[in-house]
Structure formats: C-alpha cells, structure tokens
C-alpha cells in the first residue's frame, strides 16, 4: 500500500488543479474501484476509476452542450451519493464553478444561494429537491437549466438525457476545457452554515484546494487501496476534501444509504479503513457502546469498564515504545475478547483511523475509543481554509488538542486569544461581500473567530468561539463548549446549550436522546408518552444527578445552577442545527426565551 502512494504522487501525472484531478485519476487507477454504493436491491455495487471517468466526461460534455462556459456557476442540490461526485467533477472539468447546496435547505434558502451565486444551472437529486426549485424558479432569473440526478420530468433534464447530449461532442473538447483551468480560477463557492447570520459564499480557487490536497497527502491522511465511508454532506468542505483526496490517491469512496439510522449498519457492511465524522455520531456510537453495560449494571458493567481500563494501560505503554508484561497482556487478551473487539466491530472491525471535525468533541470519548483500538483524531479548520489548517496524526497527537499546523500553513494567536491562519489554502474572500472579506482577511491573515492556545509542545487547543463566550453579570468570562460536552456525555442527553451571558449564573437547556429514554421501562417509573418526559421526575433526576457530577469538576461560577428539559430535540428542520449538526446558539436562545426566563425567575 505504501508503495502505491508513491505511484499516486508520480510527478508526470501530478494534478495541478481540481479540474485535472479526475482525468489523471482515471488514467492512473483505471480498473481499481473508485466508488461503492448500495443499489435499490440492497446489494453493494461499485464502479472503477475508468468507469467514473467515462461518466464524468460525458456529463461534462453534456453541460457544455447546454451552454455552460468556463467560469459559469453550476449548483448541486442533493444528498451525498455517487452521482453528486459525478456531477461535481463534470462541472469542474467543464471549467465551471461548483456551488453546493445542502439537501436540507428550505426553498427560500436554496433561492438565496442560487441568486447570490449567479448560478446558471442547478443539478437536483430527485422530486423532493426539484420541488424546492419549482417553488422559487420565478425568482431566480439567472437560472437557465435544471438537471435531475434520478428520475425524469418535463421541467428538468434527466441524467440520461444529459449523457446522451454529451455523446455527440468530441472527447478532445473535454480535455481542452479541463486543461485550460489554472490554479487562479475559481473552483467552488461554499456557503457557510450560517450559525450567526445569512450564509456567506466562500470563494475558493483551484490553487486553494489543490494546496489543501497536497498538504493532506503529505501527511498520508488517506492511502491508496483503502476504503472511506462517507455520510457527511458533500455541500460541506470537510466531505468535499475527503472526496477529492480519495480520488487523488486512488482510494475507494463508499457512500451512505442516505438514512441516519443506517450509518451504523453501513459501517458493519462496508468495513471501512477510514471514517470521517462529526462529534454527534461518535457520541451516538459511544452511547451505543456504553448504554447496554450501564443498563445491565452489576458484574457486566464492572467487566465493561475494567476492559476499557486495561485497554488504556496497553495503549499508553505502546505509545512509550514498550510492550505490556505477561499478566497485562493476558488481561488485555481477555478484555479484547469480552468487550474491546465488540466496540471495534461497531465501526466494521478494520478501522485504521477515524477523524472528528466541524465541532469540539469531549477528549474522554476519544480516550474511550482509543482504549478499544479505534483511534479517533481531531482535525480543525473552516470553510475559509479550504477545510483544514491543523492535523493530528497517529504518531503525532495529543487528546484534547487539534494537532499542529499543516506544513506550509502558519498559525498564530492574537493578543485577544483569536487563532489567525495564513497559507496557500486560505480562501479568496466572500462573494459579493467586500466588507465581510475585509473584516476576516487582514494583512493576509485569516481571523477565524476561534479562541485557542498553543502548549509547550506546539499542539493547539481550541478553548471557545469569540462570539460564544459567556460574560456573567459578575464579569466572569466562561467558554460553554467544554461544559456542554461533558453534560452531553450522559446517555440520556442529546444536546445541551449553556446560557448565562450577562446573567447571575449559568443555566442549561437540555434535549433528550429519545432512543435511549425509550429503553427505560414502566418499571423505572417513566411514562411511555414522550410529551410527558420533560417534566418526569425520574428523567429529571437522571439528568440532574449527571449535571451535579459535571459541576464538581468546575469552579462555582462555572457550574450550571438550573436546567430545563426541552420538549423536542434540536433539528435542522427546526432551525437549531446546521447541516453538520452544529447548534445555532442564537436561534436556540431566541426560540426558547420563555423557558430561559423561567429558569431565572425562581
């Protein structure tokens, strides 16, 4: 495998833009599997790099037949699936700028992105996404074409029709187009999730993303011949980078079934080597792994946590370059057979590395998985850095930090603690928003909005967001992220938002993990009706006891004094979550203002 990575970096075929990435990959890796996906029959199917290359070429020529010129904007509104990748590379090789739109966006949010980006065409997944475009078509005058990935209808061009149209144009025209793209040309507009206001279109050049890919490949983030399982939305920069890397190094990309309940079953079926995710999914897997033992209690619970303790001891020795002694090795063999292997199997059993990004994750969860032999590392960056700026590697990491800067990427901490970034991966600015660009890019330095610190070994730690810092009525500055993360470690808690800005003390809004609460039976005294859960004393006691344990690790001023269980979980549809499951704190505070005031009234 390692030799193959060298082949992938062959200078003679080296990609210099994102437009030439796919053609070079098809030539280099031809008969190797590029994508895997589940068909309607329930069977997993695959396509080779050569097959994907052929589909992309014909789709790209089809877009040219529609009149897509170099520099035109082509939007994609769809779930993460193989066709998303085909159309992405088709537009890029046609010299177009791709404008991803989250599949969860409302019609009005779609209208905003299409209008703001000046999109000439939009590719939609199915009837559901097409209906959104139908509702706003009259208010997007620059939108000339609608293309469907699946199905057909009178008001859109089907994928089969586009392929047919492309077959009439010479292949040389395709090559001429993708070879004409330069690093200075614009690759994509990625619209930020909008946690603090309307989305802003980040203008990212081919040179930006090519530099980002080069940085990641120098660190062997992905390796040729290995499989990556992808469920993250390809409208997000994290998933997009994984897609680009997988094709650039000759890996296999396995796409989810587009159902959140199928993520764990898919992991078991695909058995990936690499799993990029966001904290919420790792938290759910953690709950799945620990919940059964916690519920069983007694000897089963003691054995479970004994096994985790043994795993931690062995990992610690291994990282010191030492081997466990005879007794510890025998204990580890038993722990692995009884507990640890079962945890690895939740990821499919052959995970080499997992990465958590997009938001902070509790280090205790990372140590838990590491004890079981699943190394989950944190990465950090933002859309404005073409995905990432720091990296942690299996031989160079520290739990609770986001690693060190990529080679070629500079990071410094401003006087107020803000993390600043400079490098070839830093974006060009915000589309049609010069004022926001000037605020964010100052003398070549990207002002990230994240607060952090660098330890004596050079590892960077995120301590909060500038806009999320709580200043209590007593003038104490508090970063809520760590406190919220620890409260969310309860198997009963789904989400938590700590409130307290300009208030006398901290309070918490908590949502329940319905799957876990449903496991409580009538014997536990919990009602079957979910509408009664927020006020149920048994549930309030479970949450309250956990918050009290968390409080013991914090100074009095940083402790949560009161909490409220909300009637429903946060969701994208409800407006409280971004597509990558980040909580929109301002939306939550506004939506639940009566509940917050009630907590401060007593």
């Amino acid at each position: 495998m390692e030799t193959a990575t060298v082949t992938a970096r062959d200078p003679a075929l080296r990609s210099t833009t994102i437009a030439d990435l796919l053609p070079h990959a098809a030539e280099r890796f031809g008969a190797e599997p590029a994508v895997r996906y589940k068909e309607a029959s329930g069977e997993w199917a695959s396509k080779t790099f050569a097959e994907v290359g052929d589909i992309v070429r014909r789709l790209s020529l089809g877009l040219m037949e529609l009149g897509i010129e170099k520099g035109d904007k082509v939007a994609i509104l769809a779930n993460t699936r193989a066709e998303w990748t085909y159309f992405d590379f088709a537009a890029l090789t046609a010299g177009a700028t791709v404008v991803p739109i989250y599949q969860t966006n409302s019609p009005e949010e779609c209208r905003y992105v299409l209008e703001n980006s000046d999109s000439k065409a939009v590719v939609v997944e199915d009837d559901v996404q097409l209906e959104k475009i139908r509702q706003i078509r009259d208010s997007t005058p620059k939108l000339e074409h609608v293309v469907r990935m699946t199905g057909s209808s009178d008001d859109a061009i089907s994928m089969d029709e586009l392929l047919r149209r492309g077959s009439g144009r010479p292949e040389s025209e395709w090559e001429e187009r993708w070879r004409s793209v330069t690093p200075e040309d614009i690759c994509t507009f990625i619209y930020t999730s909008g946690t603090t206001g309307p989305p802003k279109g980040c203008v990212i050049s081919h040179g930006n993303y090519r530099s980002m890919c080069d940085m990641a490949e120098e660190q062997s983030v992905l390796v040729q011949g290995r499989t990556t399982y992808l469920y993250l939305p390809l409208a997000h920069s994290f998933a997009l980078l994984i897609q680009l890397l997988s094709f650039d190094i000759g890996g296999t990309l396995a796409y989810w079934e587009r159902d959140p309940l199928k993520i764990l079953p898919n992991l078991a079926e695909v058995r990936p080597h690499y799993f990029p995710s966001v904290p919420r999914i790792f938290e759910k897997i953690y709950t799945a792994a620990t919940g059964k033992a916690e519920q069983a209690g007694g000897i089963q619970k003691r054995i479970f946590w004994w096994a985790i303790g043994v795993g931690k001891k062995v990992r610690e020795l291994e990282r010191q370059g030492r081997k466990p002694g005879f007794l510890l090795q025998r204990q580890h063999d038993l722990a692995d057979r009884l507990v640890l292997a079962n945890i690895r199997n939740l990821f499919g059993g052959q995970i080499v590395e997992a990465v958590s990004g997009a938001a902070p994750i509790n280090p205790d969860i990372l140590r838990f998985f590491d004890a079981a032999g699943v190394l989950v590392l944190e990465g950090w960056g933002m859309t404005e850095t073409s995905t990432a700026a720091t990296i942690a590697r299996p031989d160079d990491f520290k739990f609770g930090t986001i690693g060190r800067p990529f080679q070629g990427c500079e990071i410094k901490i401003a006087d107020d603690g803000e993390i600043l970034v400079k490098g070839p991966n830093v974006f060009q600015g915000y589309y049609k928003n010069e004022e926001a660009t000037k605020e964010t890019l100052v003398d070549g330095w990207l002002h990230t909005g994240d607060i952090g610190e660098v330890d004596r070994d050079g590892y960077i730690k995120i301590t909060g967001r500038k806009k999320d810092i709580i200043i209590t009525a007593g003038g104490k500055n508090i970063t809520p992220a760590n406190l919220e993360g620890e409260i969310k470690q309860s198997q009963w808690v789904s989400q938590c938002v700590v409130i307290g800005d300009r208030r006398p003390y901290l309070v918490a809004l908590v949502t329940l993990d319905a799957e876990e609460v449903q496991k409580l039976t009538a014997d536990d005294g919990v009602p079957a009706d979910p509408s009664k859960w927020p006020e149920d004393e048994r549930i309030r006691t479970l949450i309250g006891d956990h918050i009290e344990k968390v409080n013991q690790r914090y100074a009095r001023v940083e402790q949560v004094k009161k909490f409220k269980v909300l009637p429903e979980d946060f969701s994208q549809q409800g407006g409280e979550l971004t597509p990558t499951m980040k909580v929109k704190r301002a939306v939550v505070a506004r939506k639940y203002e009566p509940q917050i005031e009630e907590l401060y009234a007593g």
Side-chain angles (χ1 to χ4, degrees):
M1 283 189 182
E2 296 304 323
T3 351
T5 347
V6 177
T7 309
R9 304 276 300 162
D10 185 348
L13 293 171
R14 191 177 181 282
S15 164
T16 57
T17 66
I18 304 305
D20 66 10
L21 189 157
L22 185 279
H24 286 326
E27 186 176 350
R28 290 202 308 267
F29 308 118
E32 297 300 313
V35 298
R36 287 186 69 197
Y37 52 91
K38 187 169 272 194
E39 294 184 314
S41 64
E43 298 297 315
W44 285 91
S46 65
K47 280 187 167 51
T48 66
F49 281 89
E51 288 172 326
V52 172
D54 182 60
I55 292 169
V56 168
R57 173 180 54 79
R58 289 188 290 146
L59 287 176
S60 185
L61 289 168
L63 290 174
M64 293 182 208
E65 181 70 17
L66 292 183
I68 298 299
E69 302 289 343
K70 187 177 173 184
D72 282 344
K73 320 302 188 302
V74 175
I76 301 178
L77 172 59
N79 269 285
T80 292
R81 55 188 298 155
E83 290 86 353
W84 204 109
T85 298
Y86 305 158
F87 275 100
D88 185 35
F89 282 126
L92 290 169
T93 53
T97 295
V98 174
V99 182
I101 304 178
Y102 287 107
Q103 77 277 5
T104 51
N105 275 16
S106 67
E108 178 54 29
E109 289 169 328
C110 292
R111 185 205 60 77
Y112 174 85
V113 173
L114 290 169
E115 186 180 46
N116 185 265
S117 65
D118 304 314
S119 289
K120 188 174 182 178
V122 62
V123 181
V124 300
E125 180 177 12
D126 51 20
D127 287 328
V128 173
Q129 303 300 344
L130 178 58
E131 182 56 34
K132 297 176 184 177
I133 303 304
R134 285 172 177 154
Q135 291 181 36
I136 50 92
R137 186 76 189 263
D138 291 343
S139 54
T140 51
K142 292 182 181 178
L143 186 65
E144 297 179 15
H145 307 288
V146 181
V147 180
R148 297 183 60 130
M149 288 182 181
T150 64
S152 60
S153 53
D154 294 339
D155 56 350
I157 301 163
S158 70
M159 181 171 171
D160 286 343
E161 171 64 12
L162 194 66
L163 288 166
R164 188 192 64 75
R165 293 192 188 194
S167 62
R169 300 176 79 103
E171 186 174 340
S172 58
E173 190 177 357
W174 181 58
E175 183 171 349
E176 183 182 340
R177 185 70 71 89
W178 60 256
R179 285 193 183 279
S180 73
V181 176
T182 70
E184 290 72 35
D185 288 324
I186 303 307
C187 171
T188 184
F189 292 169
I190 299 182
Y191 281 76
T192 60
S193 302
T195 54
T196 56
K200 297 189 290 286
C202 296
V203 179
I204 302 176
S205 70
H206 281 267
N208 289 147
Y209 250 123
R210 186 61 260 175
S211 296
M212 186 71 258
C213 288
D214 290 343
M215 290 176 184
E217 287 168 31
E218 282 168 4
Q219 294 289 336
S220 298
V221 169
L222 295 186
V223 176
Q224 184 180 353
R226 289 181 180 168
T227 297
T228 300
Y229 176 70
L230 190 64
Y231 77 89
L232 296 169
L234 276 162
H236 190 270
S237 60
F238 186 13
L240 180 60
L241 177 63
I242 297 301
Q243 171 192 274
L244 298 177
L245 289 175
S246 187
F247 272 82
D248 206 32
I249 56 87
T252 302
L253 207 53
Y255 300 81
W256 73 320
E257 283 190 73
R258 302 180 296 282
D259 179 351
L261 297 178
K262 297 287 181 66
I263 293 176
L264 283 178
N266 281 177
L267 285 171
E269 293 167 357
V270 171
R271 305 187 70 233
H273 303 96
Y274 188 79
F275 179 49
S277 185
V278 293
R280 188 68 194 117
I281 298 301
F282 290 116
E283 290 162 1
K284 294 284 281 184
I285 297 174
Y286 173 84
T287 298
T290 60
K292 191 175 178 181
E294 289 293 328
Q295 284 285 94
I299 187 67
Q300 192 172 326
K301 178 179 175 180
R302 289 198 295 273
I303 289 173
F304 182 89
W305 290 109
W306 166 82
I308 295 297
V310 169
K312 287 180 178 178
K313 288 179 187 175
V314 170
R315 295 285 168 262
E316 192 175 333
L317 285 172
E318 288 174 347
R319 296 207 170 100
Q320 294 171 0
R322 299 160 58 196
K323 291 185 177 180
F326 176 81
L327 179 59
L328 182 57
Q329 185 60 58
R330 298 288 79 75
Q331 289 177 334
H332 187 260
D333 292 343
L334 179 61
D336 198 69
R337 191 164 64 251
L338 294 176
V339 175
L340 307 182
N342 295 330
I343 296 172
R344 289 197 301 278
N345 287 338
L346 291 173
F347 293 87
Q350 58 177 10
I351 238 11
V352 173
E353 184 184 338
V355 64
S356 179
I361 186 170
N362 193 310
D364 289 342
I365 292 178
L366 302 180
R367 293 186 183 96
F368 170 86
F369 284 126
D370 182 51
V374 178
L375 182 58
V376 182
L377 298 174
E378 282 192 270
W380 174 84
M382 51 200 304
T383 309
E384 289 85 343
T385 63
S386 306
T387 304
T390 70
I391 186 168
R393 302 306 301 135
D395 59 349
D396 183 17
F397 74 92
K398 186 184 289 186
F399 289 132
T401 77
I402 53 170
R404 309 178 202 250
F406 278 97
Q407 189 172 353
C409 193
E410 296 179 68
I411 288 183
K412 68 179 181 180
I413 309 296
D415 293 341
D416 63 356
E418 184 176 10
I419 300 174
L420 311 183
V421 180
K422 181 186 281 188
N425 55 324
V426 172
F427 80 143
Q428 306 299 302
Y430 298 111
Y431 192 56
K432 296 180 181 176
N433 197 335
E434 193 175 337
E435 184 180 341
T437 300
K438 285 180 178 177
E439 287 177 6
T440 305
L441 287 173
V442 182
D443 298 326
W445 287 95
L446 172 69
H447 288 240
T448 67
D450 277 329
I451 301 294
E453 56 192 32
V454 183
D455 70 13
R456 64 177 66 183
D457 299 315
Y459 293 101
I460 301 166
K461 182 177 182 179
I462 301 290
T463 56
R465 288 284 297 168
K466 282 180 80 170
K467 293 177 181 176
D468 288 348
I469 289 176
I470 292 172
I471 303 176
T472 66
K476 174 70 176 176
N477 282 24
I478 295 171
T479 302
N482 293 338
L483 188 55
E484 291 164 348
E486 292 199 39
I487 292 172
K488 282 166 62 180
Q489 270 197 274
S490 163
Q491 70 184 100
W492 317 113
V493 174
S494 176
Q495 298 286 356
C496 174
V497 172
V498 172
I499 305 289
D501 201 40
R502 296 182 297 278
R503 303 279 196 168
Y505 51 84
L506 302 184
V507 299
L509 299 177
V510 173
T511 70
L512 299 174
D513 187 321
E515 288 179 46
E516 291 301 312
V517 176
Q518 283 166 357
K519 293 175 185 176
L520 293 169
T521 65
D523 294 337
D524 298 301
V526 174
D529 183 359
S531 67
K532 296 180 179 177
W533 291 349
E535 302 304 325
D536 181 78
E537 280 308 310
R538 168 68 172 158
I539 290 175
R540 287 189 56 80
T541 299
L542 287 169
I543 305 295
D545 288 350
H546 176 69
I547 289 176
E548 275 307 305
K549 287 180 185 175
V550 172
N551 277 340
Q552 290 170 18
R553 297 193 281 272
Y554 290 86
R556 283 184 63 84
V557 70
E558 297 172 308
Q559 293 177 1
V560 169
K561 299 297 189 291
K562 296 181 180 181
F563 70 93
K564 182 81 173 175
V565 178
L566 299 179
E568 57 187 14
D569 203 356
F570 299 154
S571 67
Q572 293 172 50
Q573 292 74 19
E576 305 98 342
L577 297 182
T578 71
T580 51
M581 291 182 269
K582 290 182 192 172
V583 174
K584 297 182 180 181
R585 304 179 65 86
V587 172
V588 171
R590 198 163 53 244
K591 188 170 182 176
Y592 295 101
E593 186 177 0
Q595 288 88 339
I596 294 169
E597 292 305 325
E598 187 182 326
L599 288 169
Y600 285 107

